[in-house]
Amino acid sequence: MPPNTTASTGQQPGKSGRKKGRKARLIVFVLVLALIGGAVYGAYWSVSTVRASFPQTKGSITLEGLSGTVDVKRDDHGIPQIYASSDEDLFMAQGYVQAQDRFYEMDVRRHMTSGRLSEMFGESQVETDEFLRTLGWDRIAQEEYDKTLSPATKKYLDAYAKGVNAYLKGKDGAAISLEYAALGFTNDYKPGAWTPVDSLAWLKAMAWDLRGNMQDEIDRALMTSRLGPEQIADLYPAYPYSRNKPVVQEGQYNELTGTYEADGTGTGTGDGTGTGIGTGDGTGTDPGAGTGTTDPGTGVEGAAGTDGTAGGTAGTAGTGSSLESQLTGLQQVLQDLPTAVGVNGDGIGSNSWVVSGKHTITGEPLLANDPHLSPALPSVWYQMGLHCRSVSAECQYDVSGYTFAGLPGVIIGHNQDIAWGLTNSGVDVTDLYLEKVTGEGYQYDGKVVPFTTREETIEVAGGDAQKIVVRETNNGPLLSDRSKDLVRTGKKATVDSAAPDRGDGYGVSLRWTALDAGRTMDSVFAINRAKDWDGFREAAALFEVPSQNLVYADTEGHIGYTLPGRIPTRAEDHDGSVPAPGWNPDYAWTGWIEQDELPYEFDPDRGYIVTANQAVVDPDAYPYTLTTDWGYGARSQRINDLIQSKIKDGGKISTDDMRQMQLDNSSGMAKLLVPELLKIDVDDPDVREAQKLLEGWDYTQNADSAAAAYFNSVWRNVLKLAFGHKLPKELRVKGQCLWVDPVNPTGPAEERVKVRECGLREADQAQPDGGDRWFEVVRTLMEDEDSDWWRTPKSGTRPGAENRDELFGRALIDARWELTAKLGKDIDTWSWGRLHRLFLKNQTLGTSGPDVVRYALNRGPWKLGGGEAAVNATGWNAAGGYGVVWVPSMRMVVNLGDLDKSRWINLTGASGHAYSAHYVDQTDKWAEGELLEWSFSEKAVGKNTENTLLLKP
């Protein structure tokens, strides 16, 4: 498949002089031409340059520091299985082998987590580094290493770092990776030694990607500029507990006080209402008025008119224009973070479920997992096995699964006794606070408290070093210092009488559990060693950040679920849903939920457990508020339904059934909408031709489905017409513009002029994104056929709408002509996969380097099925387009009856070297829904070994 060469946003290579840039492009161009069949001499130089970094996988290598020999056995996909006789040798070899395949990726990650990207890529990354330095991930990681982690964990981290550095010894950049050869044309960067803190800091990056509802806090506050409280409530409907079951249905939350049932028996105190401090002086909006066109590509869309009646919202603090600017600036900083951290928007999740032996063909449990993350090349995951030749006190590990390059141990997988999977719990572990800032410090409890400060120096490739001062309040780092738009907050913000005067405005700080030193790395090793449920629960309790849903199965036939994590408690009037007043002690966190009070299940009677980012527990049956922003359960309930359909009347589930469930492409939204769309009378024969595609459609979003293509276009246009044109510019797609009625239509003449407002967000982060929250929004509004949300203005020759069915009719028209423009007028040529494509991009030079470099490093496209909130969650953002923006980053099914019959697949391949045979050798199979054999026993590994490397002391 031809690589993608389309320019995109992302990390920027270092800035260089014009002459140097021309030289770089010329040499890399020669390199690529040589690789595809250029001159003999050039080909020799180029191919030798590329091959110089390929790992040695046969023969033997002497590594100083090993205490004994280590065998590294690789299969035909280059996946390594390591055999050693001591723990330290095992993890030293893991560091060496991962560096062989992925060191450039590891190096970029550690520069990101430490806020040092400018050292590699120059001036373009300074603002990103400033933000990451303000968060201080590497400082917290250093504190963990120094103060909180166990001696054994530190020993393993040291051994891993020793292995990485053994690989680096004596190598220049070109001998490590092709990217360094290209980077060397623009700066003289040289990779330094690896440290244990480099490994720990990556856990902070993953915690950031899975941090909870911070984006929802920002969005709700920004919505107040155009929407009133009832309208915002419409866009954040209540979780449908009666329809989409929570994770825990038969479980326990307190080993000391007993059990609760998830049918509402038990007691609960959290109602999720909360109290805001802003009174709101803004006028509301009437989502229905306005003029304009929604023709794709015109850049002018129908505007939402204002009626001046809705007012502000009491749930936000300081909702005036300056606060909006502050939060907009924060959002812009977030979206500029490297893609390697993940897509910062709604929709990302994961699937994991476990079925007990009473429902399986083998009579033993089956466990499936597929985490959903933004696509990257190479994949964020690295498959490997870590085996002690003989498990003993000196060598305690026999484990296989998915690791992060740069981190010792296995994150997801199985050992000889248990298997486990992870999904993001979504619990609320972040709060934004408004801070009253003065020259002397910040206000807290009626007093001025001095900031905690530190100075940071940012080294810049090809430029002068830059210094910043990081300021922190008692709530956390002051994020408003890190953007031009965040310097001041709310000069015009409305506050209640209890708030301090505005002065120069409010700052914005972040309270986040990951900014406290934790023990998650201890947990990784403890889970890898666990032998039973009790050992697993004890190990999982250390998994403090990010909070995850952990599903469990063991070879004794047990299944289970536990929710670990450092989860804060808040005062009754503070639910964490909107930015809070940092000066008021009543809004500070009050403590932590004790580990033995967190929900769990063990061997439930129903015989299976499903986690897919839905609510963990019914709030009527649990005394703590875990979050107000769960995923809405579309995927989880579909998985529940699929399992129930298989086991009814005594049916049994196989390993391949689990795989097939992972590939389920069914659209829950289509089941709801299509019957109504087919009732719409359509006069235009071309539109009617497209509408007929939906007749008899089974709602399955296969890549070759024309009906899926048309339905998803209709869905996108329903969202655009009903909601997208009525959201503030801060949430809409960058560059998409509309005419907006005045906020104060009764004010002076100069304030009653329509203005043209253009969106500010990147396409893959804008709203409405079409995720399962929007499914629930539309589902809730379906019965209210005359809701103001269904109103939309006429656009050129296309009709306006005053009710639901008229808006659906308009969406049918707009979708027909949108797909005509994209796919052609002949609907026989339409397919969902032509719209819904995956491009895999190297996350540095492959995102915005010269075309020839991107050509060399990137791959794709792949035409995919699946979609938003489907079990096969190949996510796309409806506000921005149809391209794939997050994916099942891997898939696995563990067979506890015979571990050698387990199956797995990665998004890309084991290698990070662009021209390695294992760069993307799993992607075609991944796209087709296939799984690879997953050998575990020494006999099975030996049978499938292609190459063996002996590491000698």
Side-chain angles (χ1 to χ4, degrees):
M1 294 184 180
N4 170 42
T5 58
T6 303
S8 65
T9 58
Q11 296 178 14
Q12 304 290 324
K15 188 176 181 180
S16 61
R18 191 173 297 174
K19 184 176 179 181
K20 205 169 191 179
R22 288 198 194 106
K23 179 183 177 185
R25 284 168 170 78
L26 177 61
I27 295 177
V28 175
F29 182 68
V30 171
L31 171 87
V32 175
L33 286 180
L35 287 170
I36 58 176
V40 175
Y41 177 79
Y44 173 79
W45 180 86
S46 301
V47 171
S48 65
T49 300
V50 171
R51 289 179 175 171
S53 60
F54 286 7
Q56 179 180 339
T57 60
K58 298 179 180 180
S60 65
I61 298 175
T62 299
L63 295 189
E64 184 178 347
L66 286 176
S67 63
T69 60
V70 177
D71 293 306
V72 181
K73 300 181 179 183
R74 294 178 183 262
D75 66 12
D76 58 351
H77 285 89
I79 299 170
Q81 305 283 339
I82 299 175
Y83 291 85
S85 299
S86 73
D87 291 339
E88 289 177 271
D89 282 357
L90 190 65
F91 294 117
M92 182 178 176
Q94 184 181 16
Y96 184 88
V97 170
Q98 287 189 345
Q100 280 187 305
D101 282 333
R102 299 280 193 95
F103 182 77
Y104 178 77
E105 173 195 8
M106 293 162 58
D107 199 18
V108 171
R109 284 180 177 179
R110 66 167 167 174
H111 279 78
M112 179 183 66
T113 56
S114 60
R116 294 166 47 223
L117 287 167
S118 301
E119 293 179 14
M120 295 184 75
F121 305 109
E123 186 180 353
S124 65
Q125 294 303 305
V126 169
E127 287 191 10
T128 297
D129 283 346
E130 289 177 349
F131 185 77
L132 292 166
R133 293 286 183 98
T134 300
L135 289 173
W137 291 343
D138 61 330
R139 294 176 61 253
I140 305 302
Q142 184 69 59
E143 184 179 351
E144 289 178 349
Y145 182 81
D146 292 340
K147 298 179 181 180
T148 66
L149 295 178
S150 71
T153 293
K154 293 168 68 171
K155 181 174 66 174
Y156 300 154
L157 287 165
D158 291 343
Y160 181 91
K162 188 188 298 183
V164 176
N165 292 327
Y167 168 75
L168 294 177
K169 186 177 180 180
K171 292 183 174 66
D172 62 15
I176 298 172
S177 179
L178 177 62
E179 288 92 334
Y180 290 117
L183 199 61
F185 295 127
T186 58
N187 66 54
D188 57 357
Y189 170 78
K190 298 290 188 294
W194 191 264
T195 73
V197 173
D198 293 334
S199 294
L200 290 172
W202 182 243
L203 289 174
K204 301 300 179 186
M206 294 310 297
W208 178 259
D209 197 22
L210 305 171
R211 65 193 176 275
N213 75 336
M214 187 172 121
Q215 189 63 60
D216 289 313
E217 284 190 53
I218 294 171
D219 286 358
R220 274 188 287 260
L222 292 173
M223 284 179 184
T224 60
S225 67
R226 296 203 58 77
L227 303 177
E230 291 184 1
Q231 294 166 317
I232 294 173
D234 286 344
L235 302 186
Y236 287 89
Y239 185 91
Y241 288 97
S242 62
R243 186 174 69 254
N244 295 343
K245 299 299 183 184
V247 176
V248 174
Q249 301 172 43
E250 306 169 32
Q252 295 177 303
Y253 74 86
N254 194 326
E255 295 173 339
L256 302 178
T257 61
T259 66
Y260 70 87
E261 297 297 327
D263 59 1
T265 63
T267 60
T269 58
D271 62 3
T273 57
T275 301
I277 66 165
T279 58
D281 64 352
T283 56
T285 60
D286 174 6
T291 60
T293 174
T294 56
D295 291 355
T298 64
V300 181
E301 302 170 345
T306 57
D307 65 3
T309 61
T313 175
T316 59
T319 58
S321 60
S322 293
L323 175 61
E324 293 153 18
S325 177
Q326 295 287 349
L327 294 174
T328 300
L330 175 56
Q331 163 59 29
Q332 289 171 338
V333 171
L334 298 181
Q335 70 187 23
D336 287 341
L337 286 180
T339 306
V341 182
V343 176
N344 297 294
D346 292 340
I348 290 184
S350 303
N351 303 320
S352 190
W353 66 94
V354 61
V355 181
S356 72
K358 71 179 181 179
H359 296 313
T360 68
I361 289 175
T362 65
E364 299 294 338
L366 296 171
L367 186 150
N369 197 188
D370 56 287
H372 307 155
L373 297 169
S374 54
L377 182 59
S379 166
V380 69
W381 300 108
Y382 183 89
Q383 299 151 285
M384 71 189 317
L386 302 171
H387 308 280
C388 290
R389 294 189 177 100
S390 177
V391 176
S392 65
E394 290 73 32
C395 199
Q396 305 172 73
Y397 296 88
D398 189 14
V399 61
S400 182
Y402 294 85
T403 72
F404 294 136
L407 200 71
V410 168
I411 303 297
I412 297 174
H414 70 82
N415 61 25
Q416 68 273 37
D417 299 304
I418 73 166
W420 67 95
L422 302 180
T423 65
N424 191 28
S425 70
V427 300
D428 188 357
V429 296
T430 60
D431 277 341
L432 293 173
Y433 285 91
L434 300 185
E435 305 286 359
K436 170 58 180 172
V437 177
T438 71
E440 291 74 36
Y442 61 97
Q443 190 171 120
Y444 184 73
D445 198 16
K447 301 175 183 178
V448 176
V449 181
F451 290 107
T452 300
T453 63
R454 67 179 186 274
E455 185 177 83
E456 299 272 354
T457 300
I458 299 173
E459 302 292 339
V460 182
D464 296 331
Q466 301 192 23
K467 295 183 182 295
I468 64 169
V469 174
V470 176
R471 301 190 293 176
E472 294 188 1
T473 73
N474 62 324
N475 292 312
L478 201 64
L479 301 186
S480 52
D481 282 349
R482 295 283 74 87
S483 167
K484 295 174 183 177
D485 294 324
L486 290 172
V487 174
R488 290 186 275 178
T489 63
K491 276 193 173 182
K492 298 180 181 179
T494 301
V495 296
D496 66 15
S497 58
D501 65 275
R502 291 186 292 270
D504 288 333
Y506 298 121
V508 181
S509 66
L510 172 67
R511 182 78 169 99
W512 179 34
T513 54
L515 298 183
D516 299 326
R519 300 171 295 173
T520 300
M521 198 68 238
D522 282 343
S523 178
V524 171
F525 292 119
I527 290 174
N528 286 189
R529 294 190 304 266
K531 296 183 178 300
D532 54 28
W533 170 248
D534 290 339
F536 177 76
R537 281 261 290 164
E538 183 178 347
L542 301 172
F543 207 105
E544 294 174 332
V545 178
S547 176
Q548 297 285 286
N549 297 309
L550 272 69
V551 295
Y552 166 94
D554 64 35
T555 55
E556 297 298 315
H558 301 293
I559 66 171
Y561 161 85
T562 190
L563 174 71
R566 201 157 189 246
I567 302 171
T569 56
R570 300 172 175 86
E572 185 175 350
D573 289 340
H574 176 35
D575 65 5
S577 63
V578 293
W583 54 81
N584 188 337
D586 293 342
Y587 288 83
W589 290 358
T590 58
W592 311 98
I593 302 176
E594 296 294 332
Q595 288 296 310
D596 63 1
E597 294 184 318
L598 289 170
Y600 71 94
E601 281 192 330
F602 184 64
D603 286 341
D605 290 342
R606 65 185 181 280
Y608 61 90
I609 302 169
V610 175
T611 75
N613 315 112
Q614 79 271 39
V616 168
V617 63
D618 190 318
D620 291 337
Y622 190 65
Y624 300 103
T625 299
L626 296 172
T627 186
T628 59
D629 291 299
W630 299 114
Y632 281 81
R635 281 181 289 109
S636 62
Q637 193 55 45
R638 175 62 178 170
I639 296 167
N640 272 284
D641 292 344
L642 289 170
I643 293 172
Q644 290 172 357
S645 70
K646 290 294 295 185
I647 65 177
K648 68 179 180 181
D649 303 324
K652 301 293 184 180
I653 293 175
S654 68
T655 300
D656 196 60
D657 290 331
M658 300 283 274
R659 179 188 70 87
Q660 293 286 354
M661 292 178 194
Q662 289 178 324
L663 304 178
D664 183 78
N665 287 332
S666 179
S667 169
M669 203 64 236
K671 293 177 183 177
L672 177 69
L673 285 188
V674 166
E676 302 303 322
L677 294 173
L678 290 175
K679 295 176 184 177
I680 306 298
D681 290 329
V682 175
D683 295 329
D684 187 317
D686 290 315
V687 178
R688 173 61 185 139
E689 181 186 32
Q691 184 189 34
K692 289 173 67 175
L693 289 172
L694 304 179
E695 295 177 358
W697 180 43
D698 64 358
Y699 315 127
T700 299
Q701 302 169 100
N702 293 329
D704 61 358
S705 171
Y710 184 56
F711 170 77
N712 281 313
S713 181
V714 173
W715 169 238
R716 180 181 185 226
N717 280 279
V718 165
L719 293 172
K720 181 191 295 186
L721 295 167
F723 310 105
H725 295 165
K726 299 155 192 174
L727 296 176
K729 64 181 181 295
E730 293 85 358
L731 276 68
R732 301 198 314 269
V733 174
K734 183 183 292 186
Q736 291 186 2
C737 305
L738 55 82
W739 289 96
V740 177
D741 283 342
V743 172
N744 185 10
T746 62
E750 63 270 17
E751 296 182 10
R752 289 185 277 115
V753 178
K754 277 181 176 285
V755 294
R756 190 169 184 262
E757 288 186 349
C758 299
L760 299 176
R761 286 207 180 163
E762 296 299 328
D764 61 1
Q765 299 173 34
Q767 295 293 336
D769 63 18
D772 66 354
R773 174 164 67 89
W774 293 99
F775 282 23
E776 196 63 26
V777 168
V778 171
R779 186 188 296 276
T780 303
L781 290 170
M782 285 292 287
E783 299 302 317
D784 187 1
E785 298 183 28
D786 296 316
S787 167
D788 286 343
W789 289 110
W790 300 125
R791 298 180 188 172
T792 196
K794 181 180 178 181
S795 173
T797 60
R798 299 184 188 178
E802 294 296 324
N803 57 47
R804 185 197 72 187
D805 287 352
E806 289 180 359
L807 185 137
F808 285 179
R810 167 69 178 276
L812 288 167
I813 296 169
D814 288 358
R816 176 27 155 151
W817 298 116
E818 180 187 12
L819 293 198
T820 297
K822 292 180 180 295
L823 303 180
K825 188 173 181 179
D826 183 359
I827 65 173
D828 290 338
T829 67
W830 290 4
S831 70
W832 177 223
R834 287 182 62 196
L835 290 173
H836 192 52
R837 299 185 299 168
L838 170 67
F839 291 90
L840 292 175
K841 302 175 184 178
N842 176 287
Q843 291 306 304
T844 55
L845 303 181
T847 58
S848 53
D851 286 353
V852 290
V853 175
R854 296 203 305 270
Y855 186 95
L857 297 177
N858 297 342
R859 300 293 183 270
W862 284 266
K863 298 176 181 179
L864 300 184
E868 191 60 53
V871 178
N872 185 18
T874 56
W876 55 288
N877 186 299
Y882 302 98
V884 177
V885 295
W886 55 81
V887 294
S889 54
M890 62 80 157
R891 299 186 183 102
M892 75 174 194
V893 179
V894 182
N895 183 332
L896 277 299
D898 185 345
L899 292 170
D900 287 328
K901 293 183 178 177
S902 302
R903 297 291 182 266
W904 62 354
I905 196 78
N906 203 353
L907 173 63
T908 61
S911 180
H913 300 286
Y915 287 92
S916 165
H918 306 306
Y919 192 47
V920 289
D921 61 334
Q922 298 185 50
T923 309
D924 285 346
K925 294 180 182 297
W926 174 92
E928 293 298 322
E930 299 178 32
L931 298 176
L932 304 177
E933 291 185 13
W934 183 358
S935 301
F936 179 71
S937 70
E938 188 170 9
K939 180 179 179 181
V941 169
K943 180 181 178 181
N944 290 315
T945 296
E946 291 283 325
N947 296 306
T948 299
L949 176 67
L950 179 65
L951 302 179
K952 302 186 299 183

